[in-house]
Amino acid sequence: MTAHRPNDRHSIAVTVGLPGRVEEEEKAIYRGQLNLLPPTPASIALCQHAQRMIEEVFAPHDPRTAQHHLSVDEFVERAAAVKPRFIHDPQTRVLQKQYLKELGFDPDRTYLDVPRMRVVSSDGYLTSGVGHKQPPHRDTWWSAPMQQIQFWLPIFPMSRECSMEFYPHYVETGVENSSDDFNIYAWNARGRLKAAEHKQGEDKRGIPQPFAPLDHPAAVQVTLPVGGAVIFSANQLHATSDNVTGMTRFSIDFRIVDGQHVADGVGARNVDNGSTGTALRDFRRMSDEAQLPGDVVALYDIGDKPEDGILVFSSDVAERQKTERSPAETG
């Protein structure tokens, strides 16, 4: 479990484990710290749970090399099927909560969204949609709250050639970007379901990204065992590393917020985010699945709501959108 660090005066502090009180570690993460976590029984179980689903969907092929045996359309069809299956399987949620309990997060003040499965193909097999490489971005550009902390875990063994990368220079330095054009409620209504329609070429769904290449591209890359995790702030500038391994990378990520920090306005400092709306309604309390109080969410709900905007994306919304799409769109 390693972090490959640049020779840069803005290098991120990298910590193995959660050596202090969870709340203090959260505050350090807001300031740019990366935490590398070793595998735990629950994190290994979560990854194995995902492995079984992936192997079933891609059978008889090894999922990591299936891209060499399947057409792009067939690969995308299988990947697009397994991702929501993983999200909505009840055992996924059980294992996610067990993992956070093992790490010491308070169930009464920790709010979490659903774990998601990510797929990144190798050597340009897919360049957009369900298997695309994310350009440098902050999740705050996608209307994520400044209190959001993100977990990322590889499902299969990995190397730095198929990793994630973080840009230490930009922890406190802004980047000119297109987040001013992003509204999460419009994205919920029009962008989220279209990933499978994008396979090659530019992803035209309005993904927030920098206007120009980074002036300081020195990056930290992480290498983790199966069940290991890196946790970081939504305000951390990061990207998908170029996958040149010849194998598809599968990973899990999910997000949490500390409800007390949200209420108190404690979090990362906004250096360049212009997105509108808020993803806070996506989070549910670990102890009882309650939402954050409406008056707290309202503090962060900036900008206008599009007439067709959707506040919270759900499986019901997805099914309704599929039904409402025309034959030309679904063909």
Side-chain angles (χ1 to χ4, degrees), residues 271-308:
V271 295
D272 58 14
N273 172 48
S275 64
T276 54
T278 179
L280 281 170
R281 294 182 184 86
D282 294 341
F283 294 84
R284 299 292 185 273
R285 190 159 55 200
M286 190 172 154
S287 60
D288 60 3
E289 294 288 332
Q291 287 185 291
L292 285 154
D295 58 339
V296 172
V297 173
L299 298 173
Y300 299 90
D301 200 359
I302 60 173
D304 296 329
K305 296 181 178 67
E307 287 187 7
D308 65 341

CSV table of all heavy atoms in Angstrom, one decimal, residues 271-308:
chain,number,residue,atom,x,y,z
A,271,VAL,N,-12.1,26.9,-3.5
A,271,VAL,CA,-11.1,27.7,-4.2
A,271,VAL,C,-11.6,28.0,-5.6
A,271,VAL,O,-11.0,28.9,-6.2
A,271,VAL,CB,-9.7,27.0,-4.2
A,271,VAL,CG1,-9.2,27.0,-2.8
A,271,VAL,CG2,-9.8,25.7,-4.8
A,272,ASP,N,-12.5,27.2,-6.2
A,272,ASP,CA,-12.8,27.4,-7.6
A,272,ASP,C,-14.1,26.8,-8.1
A,272,ASP,O,-14.4,26.8,-9.3
A,272,ASP,CB,-11.7,26.9,-8.5
A,272,ASP,CG,-11.4,25.4,-8.3
A,272,ASP,OD1,-12.3,24.7,-7.7
A,272,ASP,OD2,-10.4,25.0,-8.8
A,273,ASN,N,-15.0,26.4,-7.2
A,273,ASN,CA,-16.2,25.7,-7.6
A,273,ASN,C,-17.3,26.8,-7.8
A,273,ASN,O,-17.6,27.6,-7.0
A,273,ASN,CB,-16.7,24.8,-6.5
A,273,ASN,CG,-18.1,24.2,-6.7
A,273,ASN,OD1,-18.3,23.8,-7.8
A,273,ASN,ND2,-18.9,24.3,-5.8
A,274,GLY,N,-18.0,26.6,-9.0
A,274,GLY,CA,-19.1,27.5,-9.3
A,274,GLY,C,-20.4,26.7,-9.6
A,274,GLY,O,-21.4,27.3,-10.1
A,275,SER,N,-20.5,25.4,-9.3
A,275,SER,CA,-21.6,24.6,-9.6
A,275,SER,C,-22.8,25.0,-8.6
A,275,SER,O,-22.6,25.6,-7.6
A,275,SER,CB,-21.3,23.1,-9.4
A,275,SER,OG,-21.0,22.8,-8.0
A,276,THR,N,-24.0,24.7,-9.1
A,276,THR,CA,-25.2,25.0,-8.3
A,276,THR,C,-26.0,23.8,-7.9
A,276,THR,O,-25.8,22.7,-8.4
A,276,THR,CB,-26.1,26.0,-9.1
A,276,THR,OG1,-26.4,25.4,-10.4
A,276,THR,CG2,-25.4,27.3,-9.3
A,277,GLY,N,-26.9,24.0,-6.9
A,277,GLY,CA,-27.6,22.9,-6.3
A,277,GLY,C,-26.7,22.2,-5.3
A,277,GLY,O,-25.6,22.7,-5.1
A,278,THR,N,-27.2,21.2,-4.7
A,278,THR,CA,-26.4,20.5,-3.7
A,278,THR,C,-26.7,19.0,-3.7
A,278,THR,O,-27.9,18.6,-3.9
A,278,THR,CB,-26.6,21.0,-2.3
A,278,THR,OG1,-25.8,20.3,-1.4
A,278,THR,CG2,-28.0,21.0,-1.8
A,279,ALA,N,-25.7,18.2,-3.5
A,279,ALA,CA,-25.9,16.7,-3.5
A,279,ALA,C,-26.3,16.2,-2.1
A,279,ALA,O,-26.4,15.0,-1.8
A,279,ALA,CB,-24.7,16.0,-4.0
A,280,LEU,N,-26.5,17.1,-1.1
A,280,LEU,CA,-26.7,16.7,0.3
A,280,LEU,C,-27.9,15.9,0.4
A,280,LEU,O,-28.0,15.1,1.4
A,280,LEU,CB,-26.8,18.0,1.2
A,280,LEU,CG,-25.5,18.6,1.5
A,280,LEU,CD1,-25.7,20.0,2.2
A,280,LEU,CD2,-24.6,17.7,2.4
A,281,ARG,N,-28.9,16.0,-0.4
A,281,ARG,CA,-30.1,15.1,-0.3
A,281,ARG,C,-29.8,13.7,-0.6
A,281,ARG,O,-30.6,12.8,-0.3
A,281,ARG,CB,-31.2,15.6,-1.2
A,281,ARG,CG,-31.7,17.0,-0.8
A,281,ARG,CD,-32.9,17.4,-1.8
A,281,ARG,NE,-33.4,18.8,-1.5
A,281,ARG,CZ,-32.8,19.9,-2.0
A,281,ARG,NH1,-31.8,19.8,-2.8
A,281,ARG,NH2,-33.3,21.1,-1.7
A,282,ASP,N,-28.7,13.4,-1.2
A,282,ASP,CA,-28.3,12.0,-1.5
A,282,ASP,C,-27.9,11.2,-0.3
A,282,ASP,O,-27.8,10.0,-0.4
A,282,ASP,CB,-27.2,11.9,-2.6
A,282,ASP,CG,-27.6,12.5,-3.9
A,282,ASP,OD1,-28.8,12.6,-4.2
A,282,ASP,OD2,-26.7,12.8,-4.7
A,283,PHE,N,-27.5,11.9,0.8
A,283,PHE,CA,-26.9,11.2,1.9
A,283,PHE,C,-28.0,10.8,2.9
A,283,PHE,O,-29.0,11.5,3.2
A,283,PHE,CB,-25.9,12.2,2.6
A,283,PHE,CG,-24.7,12.5,1.7
A,283,PHE,CD1,-24.8,13.5,0.8
A,283,PHE,CD2,-23.6,11.7,1.9
A,283,PHE,CE1,-23.7,13.8,0.0
A,283,PHE,CE2,-22.5,12.0,1.0
A,283,PHE,CZ,-22.5,13.0,0.1
A,284,ARG,N,-27.7,9.6,3.6
A,284,ARG,CA,-28.6,9.1,4.6
A,284,ARG,C,-27.8,8.8,5.8
A,284,ARG,O,-26.7,8.3,5.7
A,284,ARG,CB,-29.3,7.8,4.1
A,284,ARG,CG,-30.2,8.0,2.9
A,284,ARG,CD,-31.4,8.8,3.2
A,284,ARG,NE,-32.3,8.9,2.0
A,284,ARG,CZ,-32.3,9.8,1.1
A,284,ARG,NH1,-31.3,10.7,1.1
A,284,ARG,NH2,-33.1,9.8,0.1
A,285,ARG,N,-28.4,9.0,7.0
A,285,ARG,CA,-27.7,8.8,8.3
A,285,ARG,C,-27.4,7.3,8.4
A,285,ARG,O,-28.3,6.4,8.2
A,285,ARG,CB,-28.5,9.3,9.4
A,285,ARG,CG,-27.7,9.3,10.7
A,285,ARG,CD,-28.3,10.3,11.8
A,285,ARG,NE,-29.8,10.0,12.0
A,285,ARG,CZ,-30.6,10.9,12.5
A,285,ARG,NH1,-30.1,12.1,12.8
A,285,ARG,NH2,-31.9,10.6,12.7
A,286,MET,N,-26.2,7.0,8.9
A,286,MET,CA,-25.8,5.6,9.0
A,286,MET,C,-26.6,4.8,9.9
A,286,MET,O,-26.9,3.6,9.7
A,286,MET,CB,-24.3,5.7,9.5
A,286,MET,CG,-23.6,4.4,9.5
A,286,MET,SD,-21.8,4.8,9.8
A,286,MET,CE,-21.3,3.2,10.5
A,287,SER,N,-27.1,5.5,11.0
A,287,SER,CA,-27.9,4.7,12.0
A,287,SER,C,-29.3,4.3,11.6
A,287,SER,O,-29.8,3.3,12.0
A,287,SER,CB,-27.9,5.5,13.3
A,287,SER,OG,-28.6,6.8,13.1
A,288,ASP,N,-30.0,5.2,10.9
A,288,ASP,CA,-31.4,5.0,10.6
A,288,ASP,C,-31.9,5.4,9.2
A,288,ASP,O,-33.1,5.4,8.9
A,288,ASP,CB,-32.2,5.7,11.6
A,288,ASP,CG,-32.0,7.2,11.6
A,288,ASP,OD1,-31.2,7.7,10.8
A,288,ASP,OD2,-32.6,7.9,12.5
A,289,GLU,N,-30.9,5.7,8.3
A,289,GLU,CA,-31.3,6.1,6.9
A,289,GLU,C,-32.1,7.4,6.8
A,289,GLU,O,-32.7,7.7,5.8
A,289,GLU,CB,-32.0,5.0,6.2
A,289,GLU,CG,-31.2,3.7,6.0
A,289,GLU,CD,-30.2,3.9,4.9
A,289,GLU,OE1,-30.3,4.7,4.0
A,289,GLU,OE2,-29.1,3.2,5.0
A,290,ALA,N,-32.0,8.2,7.9
A,290,ALA,CA,-32.7,9.5,7.8
A,290,ALA,C,-31.9,10.5,6.9
A,290,ALA,O,-30.7,10.4,6.9
A,290,ALA,CB,-32.9,10.1,9.2
A,291,GLN,N,-32.6,11.4,6.3
A,291,GLN,CA,-32.0,12.5,5.5
A,291,GLN,C,-31.5,13.6,6.4
A,291,GLN,O,-31.9,13.7,7.6
A,291,GLN,CB,-32.9,13.1,4.5
A,291,GLN,CG,-33.2,12.2,3.3
A,291,GLN,CD,-34.1,12.9,2.3
A,291,GLN,OE1,-35.3,13.2,2.5
A,291,GLN,NE2,-33.5,13.2,1.1
A,292,LEU,N,-30.6,14.4,5.9
A,292,LEU,CA,-30.2,15.6,6.7
A,292,LEU,C,-31.4,16.5,6.8
A,292,LEU,O,-32.3,16.6,5.9
A,292,LEU,CB,-29.1,16.4,5.9
A,292,LEU,CG,-27.7,15.7,6.0
A,292,LEU,CD1,-26.8,16.1,4.8
A,292,LEU,CD2,-27.0,16.2,7.3
A,293,PRO,N,-31.5,17.3,7.9
A,293,PRO,CA,-32.7,18.2,8.0
A,293,PRO,C,-32.8,19.2,6.9
A,293,PRO,O,-31.8,19.7,6.3
A,293,PRO,CB,-32.4,18.9,9.3
A,293,PRO,CG,-31.5,18.0,10.1
A,293,PRO,CD,-30.6,17.3,9.0
A,294,GLY,N,-34.0,19.5,6.5
A,294,GLY,CA,-34.3,20.3,5.3
A,294,GLY,C,-33.7,21.7,5.5
A,294,GLY,O,-33.2,22.3,4.5
A,295,ASP,N,-33.7,22.3,6.7
A,295,ASP,CA,-33.2,23.6,6.9
A,295,ASP,C,-31.7,23.6,6.8
A,295,ASP,O,-31.1,24.7,6.4
A,295,ASP,CB,-33.7,24.2,8.3
A,295,ASP,CG,-33.2,23.3,9.5
A,295,ASP,OD1,-32.9,22.1,9.3
A,295,ASP,OD2,-33.2,23.8,10.6
A,296,VAL,N,-31.0,22.5,7.1
A,296,VAL,CA,-29.6,22.5,6.9
A,296,VAL,C,-29.3,22.4,5.5
A,296,VAL,O,-28.4,23.1,5.0
A,296,VAL,CB,-29.0,21.2,7.7
A,296,VAL,CG1,-27.5,21.0,7.4
A,296,VAL,CG2,-29.2,21.4,9.2
A,297,VAL,N,-30.0,21.5,4.7
A,297,VAL,CA,-29.7,21.4,3.3
A,297,VAL,C,-29.9,22.7,2.6
A,297,VAL,O,-29.2,23.1,1.7
A,297,VAL,CB,-30.6,20.3,2.7
A,297,VAL,CG1,-30.5,20.3,1.1
A,297,VAL,CG2,-30.3,19.0,3.2
A,298,ALA,N,-31.0,23.5,3.0
A,298,ALA,CA,-31.3,24.8,2.4
A,298,ALA,C,-30.1,25.8,2.5
A,298,ALA,O,-30.0,26.7,1.6
A,298,ALA,CB,-32.5,25.4,3.1
A,299,LEU,N,-29.3,25.7,3.5
A,299,LEU,CA,-28.1,26.6,3.6
A,299,LEU,C,-27.2,26.4,2.4
A,299,LEU,O,-26.5,27.4,2.1
A,299,LEU,CB,-27.4,26.3,4.9
A,299,LEU,CG,-28.1,26.4,6.2
A,299,LEU,CD1,-27.3,25.9,7.4
A,299,LEU,CD2,-28.5,27.9,6.4
A,300,TYR,N,-27.2,25.3,1.8
A,300,TYR,CA,-26.2,25.0,0.7
A,300,TYR,C,-26.9,24.9,-0.7
A,300,TYR,O,-26.2,24.7,-1.7
A,300,TYR,CB,-25.5,23.7,1.0
A,300,TYR,CG,-24.7,23.7,2.2
A,300,TYR,CD1,-25.3,23.3,3.4
A,300,TYR,CD2,-23.4,24.1,2.3
A,300,TYR,CE1,-24.6,23.3,4.6
A,300,TYR,CE2,-22.7,24.1,3.4
A,300,TYR,CZ,-23.3,23.7,4.6
A,300,TYR,OH,-22.6,23.7,5.8
A,301,ASP,N,-28.2,25.1,-0.7
A,301,ASP,CA,-29.0,25.0,-2.0
A,301,ASP,C,-29.0,26.2,-2.8
A,301,ASP,O,-30.0,27.0,-2.8
A,301,ASP,CB,-30.4,24.5,-1.7
A,301,ASP,CG,-31.0,23.8,-2.9
A,301,ASP,OD1,-30.4,23.7,-3.9
A,301,ASP,OD2,-32.2,23.4,-2.7
A,302,ILE,N,-27.9,26.5,-3.4
A,302,ILE,CA,-27.7,27.8,-4.1
A,302,ILE,C,-28.1,27.6,-5.6
A,302,ILE,O,-28.0,26.5,-6.2
A,302,ILE,CB,-26.2,28.3,-4.0
A,302,ILE,CG1,-25.3,27.3,-4.6
A,302,ILE,CG2,-25.9,28.6,-2.6
A,302,ILE,CD1,-23.8,27.8,-4.7
A,303,GLY,N,-28.5,28.7,-6.2
A,303,GLY,CA,-28.8,28.7,-7.7
A,303,GLY,C,-30.3,28.3,-7.9
A,303,GLY,O,-31.0,27.9,-7.0
A,304,ASP,N,-30.7,28.5,-9.1
A,304,ASP,CA,-32.0,28.2,-9.5
A,304,ASP,C,-32.2,26.7,-9.8
A,304,ASP,O,-31.3,26.1,-10.2
A,304,ASP,CB,-32.4,29.0,-10.8
A,304,ASP,CG,-32.4,30.5,-10.6
A,304,ASP,OD1,-32.7,30.9,-9.4
A,304,ASP,OD2,-32.1,31.3,-11.5
A,305,LYS,N,-33.4,26.2,-9.6
A,305,LYS,CA,-33.7,24.8,-9.9
A,305,LYS,C,-34.4,24.8,-11.3
A,305,LYS,O,-35.4,25.4,-11.5
A,305,LYS,CB,-34.7,24.3,-8.9
A,305,LYS,CG,-34.1,24.2,-7.5
A,305,LYS,CD,-35.1,23.6,-6.5
A,305,LYS,CE,-34.5,23.4,-5.1
A,305,LYS,NZ,-34.2,24.7,-4.5
A,306,PRO,N,-33.8,24.1,-12.2
A,306,PRO,CA,-34.5,23.9,-13.6
A,306,PRO,C,-35.9,23.4,-13.4
A,306,PRO,O,-36.1,22.6,-12.5
A,306,PRO,CB,-33.5,22.9,-14.3
A,306,PRO,CG,-32.2,23.0,-13.6
A,306,PRO,CD,-32.6,23.3,-12.1
A,307,GLU,N,-36.7,23.8,-14.3
A,307,GLU,CA,-38.1,23.3,-14.2
A,307,GLU,C,-38.2,21.8,-14.3
A,307,GLU,O,-39.1,21.2,-13.6
A,307,GLU,CB,-38.9,23.9,-15.4
A,307,GLU,CG,-39.2,25.4,-15.2
A,307,GLU,CD,-40.2,25.9,-16.3
A,307,GLU,OE1,-40.7,25.1,-17.1
A,307,GLU,OE2,-40.4,27.2,-16.3
A,308,ASP,N,-37.4,21.1,-15.1
A,308,ASP,CA,-37.4,19.7,-15.2
A,308,ASP,C,-36.4,19.0,-14.2
A,308,ASP,O,-36.1,17.8,-14.3
A,308,ASP,CB,-37.2,19.2,-16.6
A,308,ASP,CG,-35.8,19.5,-17.1
A,308,ASP,OD1,-35.1,20.4,-16.5
A,308,ASP,OD2,-35.3,18.9,-18.1
